[in-house]
Amino acid sequence: MTTISTGSVVAFDYTLRDGAGAVIDSSEDGTPLTYLQGHGNIVPGLEKALEGKAVGAHLNVVVKPEEGYGEWREELVMKVARARLPKSPAPKVGMELQGVGPGGEPMHLRIISIEGDSVNLDANHPLAGQTLHFDVTVRTVRAATEEELAHGHVHGDDGHHHH
Ligand code: ZN
C-alpha cells in the first residue's frame, strides 16, 4: 500500500475549524485539496501528521500556531499614509491589498483601521496565532513526476497551472 512520504502527490478532503469549533475553511464538495508532500505546500503541522498515512486514513489534527500560520507578530502591523494606497476603490477596514515584501515576495495586507490620513495595515496571515483543528480524509496518493519534484508543486487538472 502506498503511504505518504516526501515526493508523494496527495489529495485529501478537509474541514478546518478554530478552537471554538467554528468552520474556517473546507475542501469543496467532491474536490479534494492536492499537494506535494515534503515541499512546504501545506502548513508544517499538517504535513507532519500526514507522513506515513495511506488512502482512506482519517485524521483529526491539532496544529499549534508555530506549526501552522505562525504567531501573530506586532511588527507586521504598519502605519502608512492613505496617499500611498490606491485611490480606487477607497480604502476601508477589512479590505485586502497586495504588497511586496522585503525579498520581493508577494505580501497580503489587510486594512485593520483608518485614522485620518493614516491607514494601519496588518501583514500577518489571517490565521496567524490560531490553533487549527483539521479533520482530514486521505483520498489518493501517487508518486510525483520528475517535473513536479523539480518545481516543488503538483501539475495537472488538480494542481498548479503554468501560463
Ligand atoms: Zn510547475
Side-chain angles (χ1 to χ4, degrees):
M1 185 181 262
T2 310
T3 56
I4 299 170
S5 61
T6 294
S8 297
V9 172
V10 181
F12 66 90
D13 285 314
Y14 72 97
T15 302
L16 170 58
R17 293 183 179 83
D18 66 16
V23 174
I24 298 170
D25 192 16
S26 67
S27 45
E28 290 156 43
D29 289 339
T31 311
L33 181 76
T34 303
Y35 78 99
L36 178 58
Q37 175 79 357
H39 289 259
N41 294 175
I42 59 172
V43 294
L46 188 55
E47 191 166 63
K48 204 179 285 182
L50 283 163
E51 179 77 22
K53 299 297 186 292
V55 172
H58 181 220
L59 300 79
N60 285 294
V61 186
V62 178
V63 177
K64 299 271 182 225
E66 62 267 30
E67 294 204 311
Y69 291 100
E71 299 290 353
W72 190 88
R73 290 157 58 202
E74 178 82 49
E75 65 269 29
L76 292 179
V77 174
M78 60 206 90
K79 189 188 282 275
V80 301
R82 189 200 278 256
R84 289 185 53 198
L85 299 181
K87 298 267 178 295
S88 170
K92 59 171 198 272
V93 172
M95 185 180 282
E96 300 201 4
L97 303 167
Q98 179 101 25
V100 179
E105 71 281 8
M107 260 175 96
H108 296 278
L109 303 158
R110 261 172 312 126
I111 298 179
I112 52 171
S113 62
I114 300 175
E115 299 160 10
D117 288 336
S118 8
V119 176
N120 289 309
L121 299 173
D122 184 357
N124 284 288
H125 189 281
L127 296 177
Q130 290 210 39
T131 296
L132 310 171
H133 298 254
F134 285 99
D135 186 313
V136 170
T137 304
V138 179
R139 295 300 178 199
T140 64
V141 180
R142 67 166 169 86
T145 64
E146 295 280 327
E147 193 185 42
E148 286 170 328
L149 289 173
H151 288 200
H153 54 229
V154 177
H155 289 169
D157 292 344
D158 47 2
H160 186 90
H161 295 268
H162 289 284
H163 300 283

